[in-house]
mmCIF file of all heavy atoms in Angstrom:
data_model
loop_
_atom_site.group_PDB
_atom_site.id
_atom_site.type_symbol
_atom_site.label_atom_id
_atom_site.label_comp_id
_atom_site.label_asym_id
_atom_site.label_seq_id
_atom_site.Cartn_x
_atom_site.Cartn_y
_atom_site.Cartn_z
ATOM 1 N N HIS A 49 -12.845 11.183 -11.680
ATOM 2 C CA HIS A 49 -14.244 11.598 -11.767
ATOM 3 C C HIS A 49 -15.074 10.777 -10.786
ATOM 4 O O HIS A 49 -15.574 9.706 -11.119
ATOM 5 C CB HIS A 49 -14.732 11.403 -13.213
ATOM 6 C CG HIS A 49 -16.130 11.892 -13.459
ATOM 7 N ND1 HIS A 49 -16.654 12.005 -14.719
ATOM 8 C CD2 HIS A 49 -17.103 12.303 -12.618
ATOM 9 C CE1 HIS A 49 -17.896 12.461 -14.635
ATOM 10 N NE2 HIS A 49 -18.198 12.634 -13.361
ATOM 11 N N HIS A 51 -17.824 10.943 -7.121
ATOM 12 C CA HIS A 51 -18.773 11.779 -6.363
ATOM 13 C C HIS A 51 -18.970 11.208 -4.959
ATOM 14 O O HIS A 51 -20.103 10.904 -4.568
ATOM 15 C CB HIS A 51 -20.108 11.855 -7.104
ATOM 16 C CG HIS A 51 -20.000 12.464 -8.471
ATOM 17 N ND1 HIS A 51 -19.808 13.804 -8.685
ATOM 18 C CD2 HIS A 51 -20.035 11.902 -9.707
ATOM 19 C CE1 HIS A 51 -19.754 14.052 -9.995
ATOM 20 N NE2 HIS A 51 -19.875 12.905 -10.632
ATOM 21 N N LYS A 137 -15.453 21.705 -12.785
ATOM 22 C CA LYS A 137 -16.316 20.927 -13.685
ATOM 23 C C LYS A 137 -17.389 21.809 -14.312
ATOM 24 O O LYS A 137 -17.980 22.646 -13.639
ATOM 25 C CB LYS A 137 -17.014 19.816 -12.903
ATOM 26 C CG LYS A 137 -17.957 19.022 -13.803
ATOM 27 C CD LYS A 137 -18.660 17.889 -13.095
ATOM 28 C CE LYS A 137 -19.314 16.994 -14.141
ATOM 29 N NZ LYS A 137 -19.919 15.795 -13.598
ATOM 30 N N HIS A 240 -16.602 11.510 -19.716
ATOM 31 C CA HIS A 240 -17.428 10.534 -20.437
ATOM 32 C C HIS A 240 -17.030 10.411 -21.920
ATOM 33 O O HIS A 240 -17.884 10.358 -22.808
ATOM 34 C CB HIS A 240 -18.914 10.910 -20.344
ATOM 35 C CG HIS A 240 -19.391 11.146 -18.944
ATOM 36 N ND1 HIS A 240 -19.287 10.207 -17.955
ATOM 37 C CD2 HIS A 240 -19.984 12.224 -18.365
ATOM 38 C CE1 HIS A 240 -19.797 10.691 -16.830
ATOM 39 N NE2 HIS A 240 -20.210 11.904 -17.041
ATOM 40 N N ASP A 296 -17.209 7.967 -12.186
ATOM 41 C CA ASP A 296 -18.507 8.567 -11.857
ATOM 42 C C ASP A 296 -19.143 7.866 -10.648
ATOM 43 O O ASP A 296 -20.306 8.098 -10.355
ATOM 44 C CB ASP A 296 -19.469 8.507 -13.066
ATOM 45 C CG ASP A 296 -20.321 9.771 -13.186
ATOM 46 O OD1 ASP A 296 -20.098 10.724 -12.415
ATOM 47 O OD2 ASP A 296 -21.216 9.803 -14.048
HETATM 48 ZN ZN1 ZN B 1 -20.162 12.760 -12.742
#
Side-chain angles (χ1 to χ4, degrees):
H49 184 169
H51 299 286
K137 178 179 193 175
H240 308 303
D296 218 6

